Amino acid sequence: MEQKRIYLDNAASTQVAPEVVEAMLPYFTEHCAVASSQFSHTPGIMVKEALDRARAVIAARIGAKPEEFIFTSGGTEASNLAIKGAAYANRKKGNHIITSKIEQLSVLQPCRSLEKEGFSVTYLNVDREGFVDPDELKRAIRPETILVTIQTVNQEVGTIQNIKELGRICRERGVLFHTDAELALGWLPFDVEEANIDLASFSGHKLHGPKGIGGLFVREGVKLKRLLDGGYNEFELRAGTENVPGAVGFAKAVELFKPEDSQYVQELRDYLIEGLLQIEDAELNGPRGERRHPGNVNISFAFAEGESIVLHLDMKGIAVITGSACFSRALEPSHVLLAMGYSHERAHSSIRYTLSRYNTREELDRTVEATREVVEQLRRISPLKQERRRGGR
Amino acid sequence: MPLPYSEKVLEHFMHPRNIGRLEDPDATATMGNPACGDMIKIYLKVDGQEKRITDIKFESYGCASNIATGSIVTELAKGKTLEEAKKIGWKEADAELGGLPPVKVHCAVLAVDALHMAIENYEHQHGLLKEKVPTDEKVVLKRLKHVINPKTGREILQANLVKAVAVDSGRVRVELALPPDYQFAKALEEEIRERLEPLWDVEQVEVAFVGES
């Protein structure tokens, strides 16, 4: 019997909302002009207006002025521009950057590149639930510190940092504060004023918008060195023809995403956590409640290896991912779980389920049942279980 | 299916042959470690007259490649004499499976190593060694080579956790620079015992945790 596939990898990417597709279509066909043609012809002006409307919608959602939000090709480009752009523009002030050990690669890799160019980077530890200690941030700031970049939401375990506090510390010390907010936009209340944010990265496809579009909030007065040279687009911070259909779709996705959606997904999340924790020797990774992303569930199933769980679940039509080394191209277990102080073994047996408003309880019931079957099957063939039981973990 | 595995790997992963444990095996061997995400245990039943593997089973904690290679290696070994089975190499297992992704070839190595180690253990315990090398510190260290700390994923030898090894008339004592209440103390002790107890002249293995808490 062919059952409908269940997609639970929404922290990687989400289904584009049908209304978003609808909104984008005219910008592939009838509105084909480039936005920078505003001084030449009517089609150009119409496109420019559409782009500005999209910009205004997203800016309003994050408490920014429209001219403080620029479109990029996605979250990775936004974080690269924020981190490298701020580092290069402030080189004379200092060469020290602070980040955390659990960032996405789109933040960690730009930091590593800058290290090779002579910048110095401090990677802050996190606690068992994935939180950065604000006091540790205070202690890490030095006179030559120019930038702090700490994510709002963790991609693997859903930890929501206390960015208001982190932002306040940076503001007090006169250091720029960037946050990777890809998983926050739409999902959580997010206000750049309230959290004293100077730079924030966003991505369209994490909230039912299209891929290939993202954005960067750049507080008025914050200097960046641009990375892409060319025309005068995006307040001269990002050259290149604007992805107008993408921008329109991104804004539509932001408009569509309601607090009720987050509430609904959060209820699904807690329902799934409760169901999965009924499985023997299952442990939740990351915090509970309001400090966890509404769509994130991450659980380790002791004595069963993650890649095998994922493959078996895939055969049953359920798409999830694991923090096991076997799943990664680098053959390293999840850097996030290790930084949280969990063992390699626990990382290898971790499974991430990330939800969206398109999921249903019925799907989650099937997911819990399928996971239970797979985990029990793998434990039956595992040499570990009987032996470990005596020893404890 | 756009997975990096051949049909045959997936088939053996979904339906592994010879899976499970043998009650009353003539020899066993475990390779790998949960900290690396891959572990395999092989059980052998051997006809003592013919020196032939009459039954073989395996248990696996690991990824699809690990399970599939355990399945294929046990299939290859079943019915073979010990000498024939010793010649099974990872390339043969890899070829039988239609080729593993390059990053997963170590899984085939692991399964084949476990088979060879189980045979070696059998030989130790049944007086079949051509050369009876007395167990000394060097032999012990060699056997401990792949023991890994589940917490850190590092080999205990490389991490300088083995403080001392003493061998005295069949009694082996291994001292680890870890506290007795270490999270994985029991698991490490079990693994070290499993490595050393099969040696032909070893009667007793003691693992001491001498580090500070």
Side-chain angles (χ1 to χ4, degrees):
Chain A
M1 185 180 69
E2 189 66 20
Q3 278 182 302
K4 201 172 157 276
R5 285 195 172 271
I6 301 176
Y7 180 76
L8 299 176
D9 196 13
N10 288 284
S13 194
T14 52
Q15 182 188 327
V16 178
E19 300 92 323
V20 168
V21 176
E22 189 75 20
M24 290 171 72
L25 286 177
Y27 294 91
F28 288 108
T29 51
E30 54 188 293
H31 303 302
C32 70
V34 294
S36 43
S37 313
Q38 57 175 319
F39 298 117
S40 56
H41 49 56
T42 304
I45 293 170
M46 288 173 74
V47 168
K48 176 80 166 93
E49 279 173 0
L51 187 68
D52 287 343
R53 273 198 304 275
R55 193 189 309 283
V57 165
I58 301 170
R61 182 68 167 245
I62 61 172
K65 296 176 204 148
E67 59 274 22
E68 291 178 316
F69 184 85
I70 66 163
F71 286 107
T72 65
S73 63
T76 296
E77 190 197 322
S79 290
N80 269 268
L81 176 56
I83 296 166
K84 292 178 184 164
Y88 297 148
N90 290 283
R91 206 166 210 160
K92 285 197 185 121
K93 276 195 212 154
N95 72 338
H96 182 232
I97 296 164
I98 299 170
T99 186
S100 84
K101 288 186 178 168
I102 62 167
E103 301 294 316
Q104 298 201 78
L105 291 179
S106 53
V107 166
L108 290 177
Q109 295 295 19
C111 287
R112 285 185 195 134
S113 294
L114 288 171
E115 277 183 296
K116 288 186 196 134
E117 296 175 33
F119 287 89
S120 149
V121 180
T122 299
Y123 299 88
L124 295 178
N125 288 311
V126 294
D127 68 14
R128 194 90 177 156
E129 291 187 323
F131 290 102
V132 168
D133 177 0
D135 286 333
E136 205 187 324
L137 172 62
K138 269 186 207 162
R139 286 193 294 273
I141 296 176
R142 316 197 288 238
E144 64 272 25
T145 306
I146 49 176
L147 175 71
V148 171
T149 168
I150 295 173
Q151 62 188 191
T152 303
V153 177
N154 182 263
Q155 61 284 1
E156 290 186 30
V157 294
T159 305
I160 302 173
Q161 299 295 336
N162 184 355
I163 52 163
K164 283 182 198 165
E165 178 66 6
L166 302 177
R168 193 181 57 77
I169 292 167
C170 294
R171 183 63 54 88
E172 277 172 12
R173 304 288 293 271
V175 176
L176 290 178
F177 180 47
H178 166 251
T179 186
D180 164 4
E182 286 188 21
L183 288 164
L185 183 59
W187 291 91
L188 311 170
F190 184 87
D191 189 292
V192 292
E193 281 310 318
E194 237 175 65
N196 297 308
I197 291 163
D198 297 305
L199 296 155
S201 308
F202 304 100
S203 168
H205 69 104
K206 306 282 187 186
L207 71 158
H208 306 292
K211 293 176 180 65
I213 188 81
L216 181 67
F217 160 72
V218 186
R219 179 175 293 285
E220 199 175 0
V222 170
K223 294 276 169 287
L224 294 182
K225 183 182 183 302
R226 71 181 196 171
L227 304 182
L228 293 180
D229 291 325
Y232 302 99
N233 325 71
E234 299 300 295
F235 313 108
E236 296 185 40
L237 278 173
R238 201 263 183 191
T241 300
E242 298 84 355
N243 174 0
V244 179
V248 168
F250 186 5
K252 187 72 187 175
V254 168
E255 272 180 335
L256 286 171
F257 213 117
K258 298 282 187 285
E260 304 88 86
D261 294 326
S262 294
Q263 190 54 43
Y264 167 72
V265 178
Q266 182 155 328
E267 282 159 22
L268 288 185
R269 175 197 76 184
D270 292 340
Y271 182 71
L272 181 60
I273 289 176
E274 201 184 314
L276 291 171
L277 287 181
Q278 301 293 317
I279 297 171
E280 209 184 348
D281 290 314
E283 288 176 291
L284 182 70
N285 300 315
R288 281 178 181 268
E290 299 301 319
R291 301 186 307 159
R292 185 184 194 102
H293 187 271
N296 179 288
V297 175
N298 188 313
I299 291 190
S300 286
F301 300 98
F303 320 114
E305 191 276 327
E307 195 216 54
S308 285
I309 299 176
V310 169
L311 268 182
H312 273 293
L313 285 177
D314 188 50
M315 307 276 179
K316 291 174 185 283
I318 298 169
V320 296
I321 66 158
T322 168
S324 170
C326 285
F327 200 67
S328 83
R329 268 185 228 180
L331 284 189
E332 284 290 331
S334 151
H335 70 282
V336 173
L337 293 174
L338 296 187
M340 288 162 71
Y342 293 130
S343 65
H344 281 237
E345 193 178 332
R346 183 153 168 170
H348 287 305
S349 65
S350 67
I351 302 292
R352 183 184 84 172
Y353 308 77
T354 46
L355 315 175
S356 84
R357 63 175 181 253
Y358 295 121
N359 291 121
T360 63
R361 276 188 187 232
E362 186 272 327
E363 286 182 322
L364 300 186
D365 289 337
R366 265 178 62 201
T367 300
V368 171
E369 259 340 283
T371 304
R372 181 194 303 278
E373 275 171 37
V374 167
V375 166
E376 282 174 2
Q377 182 186 344
L378 288 172
R379 282 174 179 168
R380 269 198 301 280
I381 68 168
S382 167
L384 272 177
K385 185 144 163 100
Q386 303 83 354
E387 289 169 18
R388 271 304 163 74
R389 274 309 170 70
R390 281 174 276 147
R393 280 161 55 84
Chain B
M1 187 170 286
L3 289 165
Y5 296 117
S6 70
E7 295 266 320
K8 195 149 179 202
V9 172
L10 287 177
E11 206 271 320
H12 276 266
F13 164 63
M14 293 298 284
H15 308 286
R17 327 290 196 262
N18 307 310
I19 191 82
R21 52 172 49 214
L22 279 180
E23 296 308 324
D24 200 21
D26 292 321
T28 66
T30 309
M31 274 291 171
N33 183 289
C36 318
D38 275 319
M39 182 179 189
I40 182 164
K41 181 168 187 176
I42 286 199
Y43 298 79
L44 289 185
K45 201 86 185 149
V46 179
D47 178 329
Q49 293 300 120
E50 286 190 45
K51 313 282 186 297
R52 189 177 291 281
I53 297 172
T54 54
D55 203 359
I56 180 166
K57 281 201 184 294
F58 80 102
E59 291 178 312
S60 159
Y61 166 87
C63 62
S65 307
N66 188 280
I67 293 171
T69 50
S71 174
I72 206 85
V73 164
T74 52
E75 255 200 339
L76 288 171
K78 202 169 190 172
K80 288 211 166 64
T81 65
L82 297 180
E83 289 307 316
E84 287 165 349
K86 279 187 202 173
K87 290 185 192 131
I88 299 171
W90 66 265
K91 284 183 183 159
E92 193 179 346
D94 184 50
E96 277 291 319
L97 284 170
L100 291 164
V103 297
K104 300 284 190 175
V105 165
H106 70 96
C107 291
V109 175
L110 202 70
V112 167
D113 281 356
L115 172 67
H116 294 171
M117 177 70 92
I119 294 171
E120 195 182 313
N121 288 345
Y122 180 84
E123 291 177 334
H124 267 282
Q125 289 154 344
H126 293 80
L128 296 177
L129 291 177
K130 292 197 181 79
E131 228 187 318
K132 291 196 171 178
V133 181
T135 299
D136 59 10
E137 196 187 326
K138 231 174 103 185
V139 172
V140 169
L141 290 177
K142 198 176 159 220
R143 296 279 291 199
L144 294 184
K145 207 174 144 208
H146 296 299
V147 176
I148 281 166
N149 182 353
K151 173 82 185 165
T152 60
R154 290 191 64 200
E155 292 182 9
I156 59 170
L157 287 178
Q158 279 184 356
N160 288 321
L161 291 177
V162 180
K163 257 192 96 181
V165 170
V167 185
D168 180 26
S169 50
R171 297 157 68 100
V172 181
R173 179 180 158 90
V174 177
E175 289 186 7
L176 296 184
L178 290 170
D181 59 355
Y182 189 65
Q183 187 187 4
F184 291 97
K186 190 83 191 159
L188 278 166
E189 182 180 341
E190 300 253 340
E191 193 172 345
I192 290 169
R193 281 182 184 285
E194 206 179 305
R195 301 276 156 169
L196 300 179
E197 279 171 352
L199 295 172
W200 68 278
D201 59 345
V202 168
E203 283 160 21
Q204 202 190 326
V205 176
E206 187 192 348
V207 182
F209 290 82
V210 299
E212 308 224 335
S213 293

